Amino acid sequence: RCSHNGSTLLFFLHSFPCPGASQCGGQTFLGQMGGCESCASSRRKEVQLFLQEQMVKGNPNDLRVAIEKAEAHGGIETLPARKQYSEIQRMERHSPENVHEMLKWATRTQDPVILNNVIKEVSTLAPSSEELAHAKRTLSELQDDVKERLHRLAKTHDTRTMVLVMERARQMGVPQKDLAWAEQYVHTTQALPSSRNQHRERSIGTNL
């Protein structure tokens, strides 16, 4: 034993009870390096209870704090809480306020593909939204533009560009019935050069 002024280290340790003595029967730190087992267990239960309470309340900010505390403490299952937090965040993104902002942003991009995708998503969340009706009108105008472009390309026999434009038209939600004529035109026009070449070859063979 180490002695100092007639007092032993053992006596020194016995003079300081565990900080959580009221919960662990007055045990001391002797042989309990870092605190008693009972105190650690009690603290873990408190953190776990706090996490469960926040899961019931459903406030995303408080739930995030509870998850972070539980993970920092260790030994506490947080996966269910994380799944709940993710679902709450998803629902908040789809709240009426956020739906309004999504539609405004998509309309400002003037990209019909983006606008079509956002309209599809919002249609299941807020089908009666005034902003949704406005976005649909904007998309309809953009769809009309691409359909008119197909007609102009057909007049110049630019079938290669027509194929590209038709693919984009599908992505922006143009109905298949509105593209059927263009598909038929491209199919027929692209078959013509082959027929002409065969006729030319037969003519050359006859002349020879």
Short mmCIF file of all heavy atoms in Angstrom, two decimals, residues 153-202:
data_model
loop_
_atom_site.label_atom_id
_atom_site.label_comp_id
_atom_site.label_asym_id
_atom_site.label_seq_id
_atom_site.Cartn_x
_atom_site.Cartn_y
_atom_site.Cartn_z
N LEU A 153 -40.39 19.34 -88.73
CA LEU A 153 -39.32 18.42 -89.12
C LEU A 153 -39.78 17.45 -90.21
O LEU A 153 -39.00 17.07 -91.09
CB LEU A 153 -38.84 17.63 -87.89
CG LEU A 153 -38.09 18.45 -86.83
CD1 LEU A 153 -37.89 17.62 -85.56
CD2 LEU A 153 -36.73 18.91 -87.37
N ALA A 154 -41.05 17.05 -90.15
CA ALA A 154 -41.58 16.14 -91.16
C ALA A 154 -41.59 16.82 -92.53
O ALA A 154 -41.34 16.17 -93.56
CB ALA A 154 -42.98 15.69 -90.77
N LYS A 155 -41.87 18.12 -92.56
CA LYS A 155 -41.90 18.84 -93.84
C LYS A 155 -40.52 18.91 -94.49
O LYS A 155 -40.41 18.98 -95.71
CB LYS A 155 -42.45 20.25 -93.62
CG LYS A 155 -43.94 20.28 -93.28
CD LYS A 155 -44.42 21.70 -93.05
CE LYS A 155 -45.91 21.72 -92.70
NZ LYS A 155 -46.41 23.11 -92.44
N THR A 156 -39.48 18.89 -93.66
CA THR A 156 -38.11 18.94 -94.20
C THR A 156 -37.49 17.54 -94.29
O THR A 156 -36.31 17.41 -94.60
CB THR A 156 -37.22 19.83 -93.31
OG1 THR A 156 -37.19 19.29 -91.98
CG2 THR A 156 -37.76 21.25 -93.26
N HIS A 157 -38.28 16.51 -93.97
CA HIS A 157 -37.84 15.11 -94.04
C HIS A 157 -36.63 14.83 -93.14
O HIS A 157 -35.82 13.96 -93.45
CB HIS A 157 -37.49 14.74 -95.50
CG HIS A 157 -38.56 15.09 -96.48
ND1 HIS A 157 -39.78 14.47 -96.49
CD2 HIS A 157 -38.60 16.04 -97.45
CE1 HIS A 157 -40.54 15.00 -97.46
NE2 HIS A 157 -39.84 15.96 -98.04
N ASP A 158 -36.55 15.55 -92.00
CA ASP A 158 -35.45 15.35 -91.06
C ASP A 158 -35.84 14.26 -90.07
O ASP A 158 -36.15 14.53 -88.90
CB ASP A 158 -35.12 16.66 -90.34
CG ASP A 158 -33.85 16.57 -89.51
OD1 ASP A 158 -33.29 15.47 -89.38
OD2 ASP A 158 -33.42 17.62 -88.98
N THR A 159 -35.82 13.03 -90.52
CA THR A 159 -36.28 11.92 -89.68
C THR A 159 -35.33 11.64 -88.52
O THR A 159 -35.76 11.18 -87.46
CB THR A 159 -36.44 10.65 -90.52
OG1 THR A 159 -35.19 10.36 -91.18
CG2 THR A 159 -37.53 10.83 -91.57
N ARG A 160 -34.05 11.90 -88.71
CA ARG A 160 -33.10 11.64 -87.64
C ARG A 160 -33.41 12.51 -86.41
O ARG A 160 -33.42 12.02 -85.28
CB ARG A 160 -31.67 11.91 -88.12
CG ARG A 160 -30.61 11.66 -87.05
CD ARG A 160 -29.21 11.83 -87.63
NE ARG A 160 -28.95 10.87 -88.70
CZ ARG A 160 -27.82 10.80 -89.38
NH1 ARG A 160 -26.84 11.65 -89.11
NH2 ARG A 160 -27.66 9.90 -90.33
N THR A 161 -33.67 13.80 -86.65
CA THR A 161 -34.01 14.69 -85.54
C THR A 161 -35.39 14.34 -84.99
O THR A 161 -35.63 14.46 -83.78
CB THR A 161 -33.98 16.15 -85.99
OG1 THR A 161 -32.69 16.45 -86.55
CG2 THR A 161 -34.24 17.10 -84.83
N MET A 162 -36.28 13.90 -85.85
CA MET A 162 -37.62 13.52 -85.39
C MET A 162 -37.56 12.40 -84.36
O MET A 162 -38.31 12.40 -83.38
CB MET A 162 -38.49 13.09 -86.57
CG MET A 162 -39.00 14.23 -87.44
SD MET A 162 -40.11 13.64 -88.75
CE MET A 162 -41.55 13.18 -87.79
N VAL A 163 -36.68 11.44 -84.58
CA VAL A 163 -36.55 10.33 -83.63
C VAL A 163 -36.13 10.86 -82.25
O VAL A 163 -36.67 10.43 -81.22
CB VAL A 163 -35.52 9.30 -84.14
CG1 VAL A 163 -35.21 8.27 -83.05
CG2 VAL A 163 -36.03 8.61 -85.40
N LEU A 164 -35.19 11.80 -82.23
CA LEU A 164 -34.73 12.38 -80.96
C LEU A 164 -35.84 13.19 -80.29
O LEU A 164 -36.02 13.11 -79.06
CB LEU A 164 -33.51 13.27 -81.20
CG LEU A 164 -32.27 12.58 -81.79
CD1 LEU A 164 -31.18 13.60 -82.09
CD2 LEU A 164 -31.75 11.51 -80.83
N VAL A 165 -36.56 13.95 -81.07
CA VAL A 165 -37.63 14.79 -80.52
C VAL A 165 -38.77 13.93 -79.99
O VAL A 165 -39.37 14.23 -78.95
CB VAL A 165 -38.14 15.78 -81.58
CG1 VAL A 165 -39.36 16.55 -81.07
CG2 VAL A 165 -37.04 16.76 -81.97
N MET A 166 -39.07 12.83 -80.67
CA MET A 166 -40.14 11.93 -80.20
C MET A 166 -39.78 11.32 -78.85
O MET A 166 -40.64 11.18 -77.98
CB MET A 166 -40.39 10.82 -81.23
CG MET A 166 -41.29 11.25 -82.38
SD MET A 166 -41.82 9.83 -83.37
CE MET A 166 -40.28 9.37 -84.16
N GLU A 167 -38.53 10.96 -78.68
CA GLU A 167 -38.11 10.38 -77.40
C GLU A 167 -38.27 11.39 -76.27
O GLU A 167 -38.73 11.06 -75.18
CB GLU A 167 -36.64 9.93 -77.49
CG GLU A 167 -36.10 9.33 -76.20
CD GLU A 167 -36.89 8.13 -75.72
OE1 GLU A 167 -37.47 7.41 -76.56
OE2 GLU A 167 -36.94 7.90 -74.50
N ARG A 168 -37.90 12.64 -76.54
CA ARG A 168 -38.07 13.68 -75.52
C ARG A 168 -39.56 13.95 -75.27
O ARG A 168 -39.96 14.20 -74.14
CB ARG A 168 -37.37 14.96 -75.95
CG ARG A 168 -37.47 16.08 -74.91
CD ARG A 168 -36.46 17.16 -75.15
NE ARG A 168 -36.58 18.25 -74.20
CZ ARG A 168 -36.12 18.24 -72.97
NH1 ARG A 168 -35.50 17.17 -72.51
NH2 ARG A 168 -36.27 19.29 -72.18
N ALA A 169 -40.36 13.89 -76.32
CA ALA A 169 -41.80 14.10 -76.17
C ALA A 169 -42.41 13.05 -75.24
O ALA A 169 -43.27 13.36 -74.42
CB ALA A 169 -42.47 14.05 -77.54
N ARG A 170 -41.95 11.81 -75.36
CA ARG A 170 -42.45 10.76 -74.46
C ARG A 170 -42.07 11.07 -73.01
O ARG A 170 -42.88 10.87 -72.10
CB ARG A 170 -41.87 9.40 -74.87
CG ARG A 170 -42.35 8.91 -76.24
CD ARG A 170 -41.87 7.49 -76.50
NE ARG A 170 -42.10 7.10 -77.89
CZ ARG A 170 -41.19 7.19 -78.85
NH1 ARG A 170 -39.97 7.64 -78.57
NH2 ARG A 170 -41.48 6.84 -80.09
N GLN A 171 -40.84 11.55 -72.80
CA GLN A 171 -40.37 11.85 -71.45
C GLN A 171 -41.15 13.01 -70.82
O GLN A 171 -41.29 13.08 -69.60
CB GLN A 171 -38.88 12.17 -71.46
CG GLN A 171 -38.00 11.00 -71.86
CD GLN A 171 -36.54 11.39 -72.01
OE1 GLN A 171 -36.19 12.58 -71.93
NE2 GLN A 171 -35.68 10.42 -72.26
N MET A 172 -41.65 13.90 -71.67
CA MET A 172 -42.39 15.04 -71.14
C MET A 172 -43.89 14.78 -71.09
O MET A 172 -44.68 15.68 -70.82
CB MET A 172 -42.09 16.31 -71.94
CG MET A 172 -42.37 16.20 -73.42
SD MET A 172 -41.69 17.59 -74.36
CE MET A 172 -42.81 18.89 -73.92
N GLY A 173 -44.29 13.53 -71.35
CA GLY A 173 -45.68 13.14 -71.14
C GLY A 173 -46.61 13.32 -72.32
O GLY A 173 -47.83 13.28 -72.14
N VAL A 174 -46.09 13.51 -73.52
CA VAL A 174 -46.97 13.61 -74.69
C VAL A 174 -47.62 12.24 -74.92
O VAL A 174 -46.92 11.23 -74.99
CB VAL A 174 -46.18 14.03 -75.95
CG1 VAL A 174 -47.07 14.00 -77.18
CG2 VAL A 174 -45.59 15.43 -75.76
N PRO A 175 -48.96 12.17 -75.03
CA PRO A 175 -49.65 10.90 -75.23
C PRO A 175 -49.17 10.17 -76.48
O PRO A 175 -48.85 10.80 -77.49
CB PRO A 175 -51.12 11.30 -75.34
CG PRO A 175 -51.21 12.62 -74.66
CD PRO A 175 -49.91 13.31 -74.95
N GLN A 176 -49.14 8.85 -76.41
CA GLN A 176 -48.68 8.04 -77.53
C GLN A 176 -49.53 8.26 -78.77
O GLN A 176 -49.02 8.25 -79.90
CB GLN A 176 -48.72 6.55 -77.13
CG GLN A 176 -48.26 5.59 -78.22
CD GLN A 176 -46.83 5.86 -78.69
OE1 GLN A 176 -46.00 6.29 -77.91
NE2 GLN A 176 -46.58 5.61 -79.97
N LYS A 177 -50.83 8.49 -78.59
CA LYS A 177 -51.71 8.70 -79.74
C LYS A 177 -51.32 9.94 -80.55
O LYS A 177 -51.59 10.01 -81.76
CB LYS A 177 -53.17 8.81 -79.29
CG LYS A 177 -53.46 9.99 -78.37
CD LYS A 177 -54.91 9.98 -77.91
CE LYS A 177 -55.21 11.16 -77.01
NZ LYS A 177 -55.09 12.46 -77.69
N ASP A 178 -50.69 10.91 -79.89
CA ASP A 178 -50.26 12.13 -80.59
C ASP A 178 -48.93 11.94 -81.31
O ASP A 178 -48.52 12.82 -82.08
CB ASP A 178 -50.14 13.29 -79.59
CG ASP A 178 -51.49 13.70 -79.03
OD1 ASP A 178 -52.51 13.40 -79.66
OD2 ASP A 178 -51.51 14.30 -77.93
N LEU A 179 -48.26 10.83 -81.04
CA LEU A 179 -46.97 10.56 -81.69
C LEU A 179 -47.05 9.46 -82.73
O LEU A 179 -46.08 9.22 -83.45
CB LEU A 179 -45.93 10.17 -80.62
CG LEU A 179 -45.64 11.20 -79.52
CD1 LEU A 179 -44.70 10.61 -78.49
CD2 LEU A 179 -45.04 12.46 -80.13
N ALA A 180 -48.21 8.80 -82.81
CA ALA A 180 -48.34 7.65 -83.72
C ALA A 180 -48.06 8.03 -85.16
O ALA A 180 -47.37 7.29 -85.89
CB ALA A 180 -49.73 7.04 -83.57
N TRP A 181 -48.57 9.19 -85.60
CA TRP A 181 -48.37 9.60 -86.99
C TRP A 181 -46.89 9.82 -87.29
O TRP A 181 -46.39 9.47 -88.38
CB TRP A 181 -49.15 10.88 -87.29
CG TRP A 181 -48.55 12.11 -86.64
CD1 TRP A 181 -48.85 12.63 -85.44
CD2 TRP A 181 -47.51 12.94 -87.19
NE1 TRP A 181 -48.07 13.72 -85.16
CE2 TRP A 181 -47.25 13.94 -86.23
CE3 TRP A 181 -46.78 12.93 -88.38
CZ2 TRP A 181 -46.29 14.94 -86.43
CZ3 TRP A 181 -45.83 13.93 -88.59
CH2 TRP A 181 -45.59 14.91 -87.63
N ALA A 182 -46.17 10.42 -86.30
CA ALA A 182 -44.75 10.71 -86.50
C ALA A 182 -43.94 9.42 -86.57
O ALA A 182 -43.01 9.30 -87.38
CB ALA A 182 -44.24 11.60 -85.36
N GLU A 183 -44.29 8.46 -85.74
CA GLU A 183 -43.59 7.17 -85.78
C GLU A 183 -43.81 6.48 -87.13
O GLU A 183 -42.87 5.92 -87.71
CB GLU A 183 -44.09 6.27 -84.64
CG GLU A 183 -43.65 6.74 -83.25
CD GLU A 183 -44.17 5.82 -82.16
OE1 GLU A 183 -45.09 5.02 -82.44
OE2 GLU A 183 -43.68 5.92 -81.02
N GLN A 184 -45.05 6.53 -87.61
CA GLN A 184 -45.35 5.92 -88.91
C GLN A 184 -44.63 6.63 -90.04
O GLN A 184 -44.10 6.00 -90.96
CB GLN A 184 -46.87 5.96 -89.15
CG GLN A 184 -47.32 5.28 -90.44
CD GLN A 184 -46.96 3.81 -90.47
OE1 GLN A 184 -47.03 3.13 -89.44
NE2 GLN A 184 -46.57 3.31 -91.63
N TYR A 185 -44.57 7.95 -89.95
CA TYR A 185 -43.89 8.74 -90.98
C TYR A 185 -42.40 8.38 -91.02
O TYR A 185 -41.83 8.18 -92.10
CB TYR A 185 -44.07 10.23 -90.70
CG TYR A 185 -43.31 11.11 -91.67
CD1 TYR A 185 -43.86 11.45 -92.90
CD2 TYR A 185 -42.04 11.58 -91.35
CE1 TYR A 185 -43.16 12.24 -93.80
CE2 TYR A 185 -41.33 12.38 -92.24
CZ TYR A 185 -41.90 12.70 -93.46
OH TYR A 185 -41.19 13.48 -94.35
N VAL A 186 -41.76 8.32 -89.86
CA VAL A 186 -40.33 7.99 -89.80
C VAL A 186 -40.09 6.59 -90.34
O VAL A 186 -39.16 6.35 -91.12
CB VAL A 186 -39.82 8.11 -88.34
CG1 VAL A 186 -38.42 7.51 -88.23
CG2 VAL A 186 -39.81 9.57 -87.90
N HIS A 187 -40.93 5.65 -89.96
CA HIS A 187 -40.78 4.27 -90.42
C HIS A 187 -40.90 4.18 -91.93
O HIS A 187 -40.09 3.52 -92.60
CB HIS A 187 -41.84 3.39 -89.75
CG HIS A 187 -41.80 1.97 -90.22
ND1 HIS A 187 -40.82 1.08 -89.83
CD2 HIS A 187 -42.63 1.28 -91.07
CE1 HIS A 187 -41.04 -0.09 -90.41
NE2 HIS A 187 -42.14 0.00 -91.16
N THR A 188 -41.88 4.87 -92.47
CA THR A 188 -42.11 4.82 -93.93
C THR A 188 -41.00 5.54 -94.68
O THR A 188 -40.47 5.03 -95.68
CB THR A 188 -43.46 5.48 -94.28
OG1 THR A 188 -44.49 4.80 -93.57
CG2 THR A 188 -43.73 5.41 -95.77
N THR A 189 -40.61 6.72 -94.18
CA THR A 189 -39.60 7.53 -94.88
C THR A 189 -38.23 6.86 -94.86
O THR A 189 -37.51 6.87 -95.87
CB THR A 189 -39.49 8.92 -94.23
OG1 THR A 189 -40.77 9.54 -94.25
CG2 THR A 189 -38.51 9.79 -94.98
N GLN A 190 -37.87 6.26 -93.75
CA GLN A 190 -36.57 5.61 -93.65
C GLN A 190 -36.50 4.35 -94.51
O GLN A 190 -35.42 3.91 -94.88
CB GLN A 190 -36.26 5.26 -92.19
CG GLN A 190 -35.94 6.48 -91.34
CD GLN A 190 -35.61 6.12 -89.90
OE1 GLN A 190 -35.97 5.03 -89.44
NE2 GLN A 190 -34.94 7.02 -89.21
N ALA A 191 -37.64 3.78 -94.87
CA ALA A 191 -37.66 2.59 -95.72
C ALA A 191 -37.53 2.95 -97.19
O ALA A 191 -37.11 2.12 -98.00
CB ALA A 191 -38.95 1.80 -95.50
N LEU A 192 -37.85 4.19 -97.57
CA LEU A 192 -37.82 4.60 -98.98
C LEU A 192 -36.44 4.56 -99.61
O LEU A 192 -36.29 4.05 -100.72
CB LEU A 192 -38.43 6.00 -99.12
CG LEU A 192 -39.94 6.08 -98.92
CD1 LEU A 192 -40.41 7.53 -99.00
CD2 LEU A 192 -40.66 5.23 -99.98
N PRO A 193 -35.39 5.08 -99.01
CA PRO A 193 -34.06 5.05 -99.66
C PRO A 193 -33.63 3.65 -100.03
O PRO A 193 -33.04 3.43 -101.09
CB PRO A 193 -33.14 5.66 -98.60
CG PRO A 193 -34.04 6.52 -97.78
CD PRO A 193 -35.33 5.78 -97.73
N SER A 194 -33.94 2.68 -99.19
CA SER A 194 -33.56 1.30 -99.48
C SER A 194 -34.27 0.80 -100.73
O SER A 194 -33.68 0.16 -101.59
CB SER A 194 -33.92 0.41 -98.28
OG SER A 194 -33.63 -0.94 -98.57
N SER A 195 -35.56 1.13 -100.85
CA SER A 195 -36.32 0.71 -102.04
C SER A 195 -35.78 1.37 -103.28
O SER A 195 -35.67 0.75 -104.35
CB SER A 195 -37.81 1.06 -101.85
OG SER A 195 -38.33 0.39 -100.72
N ARG A 196 -35.41 2.63 -103.21
CA ARG A 196 -34.89 3.35 -104.36
C ARG A 196 -33.55 2.76 -104.81
O ARG A 196 -33.27 2.62 -106.00
CB ARG A 196 -34.72 4.83 -104.02
CG ARG A 196 -36.06 5.57 -103.88
CD ARG A 196 -35.85 6.98 -103.35
NE ARG A 196 -37.12 7.70 -103.24
CZ ARG A 196 -37.25 8.88 -102.64
NH1 ARG A 196 -36.18 9.46 -102.08
NH2 ARG A 196 -38.43 9.47 -102.59
N ASN A 197 -32.71 2.42 -103.82
CA ASN A 197 -31.41 1.83 -104.16
C ASN A 197 -31.58 0.50 -104.87
O ASN A 197 -30.87 0.20 -105.84
CB ASN A 197 -30.57 1.62 -102.89
CG ASN A 197 -30.08 2.95 -102.32
OD1 ASN A 197 -29.99 3.94 -103.05
ND2 ASN A 197 -29.78 2.95 -101.03
N GLN A 198 -32.55 -0.31 -104.41
CA GLN A 198 -32.78 -1.59 -105.06
C GLN A 198 -33.26 -1.38 -106.48
O GLN A 198 -32.86 -2.10 -107.41
CB GLN A 198 -33.82 -2.40 -104.26
CG GLN A 198 -33.30 -2.89 -102.91
CD GLN A 198 -34.38 -3.60 -102.09
OE1 GLN A 198 -35.49 -3.79 -102.59
NE2 GLN A 198 -34.03 -3.98 -100.89
N HIS A 199 -34.12 -0.41 -106.71
CA HIS A 199 -34.64 -0.12 -108.06
C HIS A 199 -33.51 0.35 -108.96
O HIS A 199 -33.42 -0.05 -110.13
CB HIS A 199 -35.74 0.95 -107.96
CG HIS A 199 -36.26 1.36 -109.31
ND1 HIS A 199 -37.06 0.54 -110.07
CD2 HIS A 199 -36.08 2.52 -110.04
CE1 HIS A 199 -37.37 1.14 -111.22
NE2 HIS A 199 -36.77 2.37 -111.20
N ARG A 200 -32.59 1.19 -108.41
CA ARG A 200 -31.47 1.69 -109.19
C ARG A 200 -30.52 0.55 -109.59
O ARG A 200 -30.03 0.49 -110.71
CB ARG A 200 -30.71 2.76 -108.38
CG ARG A 200 -29.63 3.45 -109.21
CD ARG A 200 -28.88 4.48 -108.39
NE ARG A 200 -29.78 5.53 -107.90
CZ ARG A 200 -30.10 5.67 -106.62
NH1 ARG A 200 -29.62 4.84 -105.71
NH2 ARG A 200 -30.92 6.64 -106.24
N GLU A 201 -30.30 -0.39 -108.63
CA GLU A 201 -29.43 -1.51 -108.93
C GLU A 201 -30.01 -2.40 -110.01
O GLU A 201 -29.29 -2.91 -110.91
CB GLU A 201 -29.17 -2.35 -107.65
CG GLU A 201 -28.29 -1.60 -106.63
CD GLU A 201 -28.20 -2.35 -105.34
OE1 GLU A 201 -28.85 -3.43 -105.24
OE2 GLU A 201 -27.50 -1.88 -104.41
N ARG A 202 -31.34 -2.60 -109.98
CA ARG A 202 -31.98 -3.41 -111.01
C ARG A 202 -31.87 -2.72 -112.36
O ARG A 202 -31.66 -3.38 -113.41
CB ARG A 202 -33.45 -3.65 -110.64
CG ARG A 202 -33.66 -4.68 -109.54
CD ARG A 202 -35.09 -5.16 -109.52
NE ARG A 202 -36.04 -4.05 -109.21
CZ ARG A 202 -36.43 -3.73 -107.99
NH1 ARG A 202 -35.96 -4.41 -106.92
NH2 ARG A 202 -37.27 -2.74 -107.80
#
